[in-house]
Amino acid sequence: MPVRVGDHKLLSFASSVDDNTIAQALETASMPFVHPHVALMPDAHFGLGSAVGTVIPTVDAVIPAAVGVDIGCGMIAARTTLTHNDIADRDLAALRKSIESAIPLSPGNYNSNLGRYAFTQGRVAALETMATERGVDLGHSPKWREQLGSLGGGNHFIELCLDEADTVWMFLHSGSRGVGNRIAKRHIKRAQKLCRQWHITLPNDDLAYLPTGTPDLEVYLRDLAWAQAFAFENRAEMMDRFRQALAHWSGRTVDELEVDRVNCHHNYTVRERHGGKDVWLTRKGAVDAHEGVRAVIPGSMGSRSYVVRGKGNAAGLCSAPHGAGRRFSRREARARFTADDLAEAMAGIEYRHGDAWVDEIPAAYKDIDQVMADAVDLVEVEYTLRQILNVKGT
C-alpha cells in the first residue's frame, strides 16, 4: 500500500528510499499544476531533474527536465522458440562477440554503414517522414541516422535470458541516444530561460516548465514525440539485429525464432486521464501499468528480470517501477567494489570481464525482489527471467 508523505501530494510505494530522494520528490509534488499527486515508485532514487522512479501528472504544463535527457529510454524483450537444451552446448562467448559486431556499443559509437541490414532503411525513412511532416528540426544532430541501432553506455545493456520454463529470451535496454539528449537539453534550457524571464520562483531550476498555450510547449511536445518514436525504433532495430545473430549462432532461421515481443518506454510523457482530469503524465523511470498492459522490469546485470502485466492501480497513476534502482552512485560503487567482486557476482553469466563495468555491479542496485514485492499492487508477473549472457557499453 502507498504511504502519503506528510501533507503533501506525494504517495510513495517504496519501502526503502533515502531522504534526498524524498526531498527531491517533494519539490516536484509542490508544483502548483501537479494533479492529483506524484507517485514514487518502489525503485526510486535521486536523479537529475527529478527523482528516478517518479510519476508526475501535470495540468497545462510540462517539465522538460523531469522527462530527462534520455527521452524514450526503455526496455524490449522477445521470447524465442529456443530452450536452454537447444543452446547448452554452444559457445556463448561467440554469440556475445557476434552481438558486439552487429550493434555499436558505448557513447559516441555509431553505425558506419546503414545498408548492412535490409530492415534499417525502412525505419530511417519512417523517422525522416515523421520529422518532415511534423516540422521537427534535427539540424543539431546530423548523425541521428547512424545512431539508430546503437546501444549507448551507462546502464544500457543487451542480454540473453531464460525464463522459468528454460525458454530463451532476448532482452535489451536503451533509449534515444545522442539525438534525444540534444533535443532534451535544448528544451530544458529554453524552459529555464523563460521561467527566469517570467520571474517564476522555482524550488530548483530543473523544475522549469513550459505552459499550455505557448509555442514553446508545442515545439517541445512535437520534438518529444519524435524522440520517443526514435527510441522505440532504436530498440526494435537492435532487437532485429540481435535476432539475426542469435538465429545464425543457434542454427535456426530468423522467421522461426521469435514468437513474442514487448517494447516499452520508461522515460517519457504522454496524455492520460487521472483524478478526473486530462493531464500530461511524465514517467521518469516508470512503466505504463494500465490494466492488462505489458511491460518489462529489469534487475541488475546479475539478478532476475520480469515481464509483467499492469493492474491499473489508480493510486500508482497506472504505473510501475522500471528496474532495481541504484543503491550507490557510480562513484561510490567504484570506491566500494572491484573487478574481482564483479566477476564473483557474475559467476555463470557470459560477459566482458574488466573494471569498466564495476559501477554496474549488482550490489550497486536495490534488491529487485524487494522492488517487486513493493509493486505487488501495481503489476502481476508474467515471466521471470535470469541472465546467461550480458553485453554492456562502457
Side-chain angles (χ1 to χ4, degrees), residues 110-111 114 124 128 137-148 178-179 182 226 230:
Y110 307 150
N111 295 281
L114 293 177
V124 170
E128 287 175 336
D137 179 10
L138 297 172
H140 50 71
S141 299
K143 291 286 189 179
W144 71 262
R145 297 168 185 83
E146 287 78 9
Q147 292 172 20
L148 186 72
V179 62
R182 292 194 176 186
W226 186 90
F230 178 94

Side-chain angles (χ1 to χ4, degrees), residues 362-383:
Y365 285 83
K366 293 184 178 182
D367 181 356
I368 189 63
D369 292 334
Q370 185 59 58
V371 169
M372 296 306 295
D374 289 350
V376 67
D377 292 331
L378 305 176
V379 290
E380 60 180 345
V381 174
E382 193 173 24
Y383 296 98

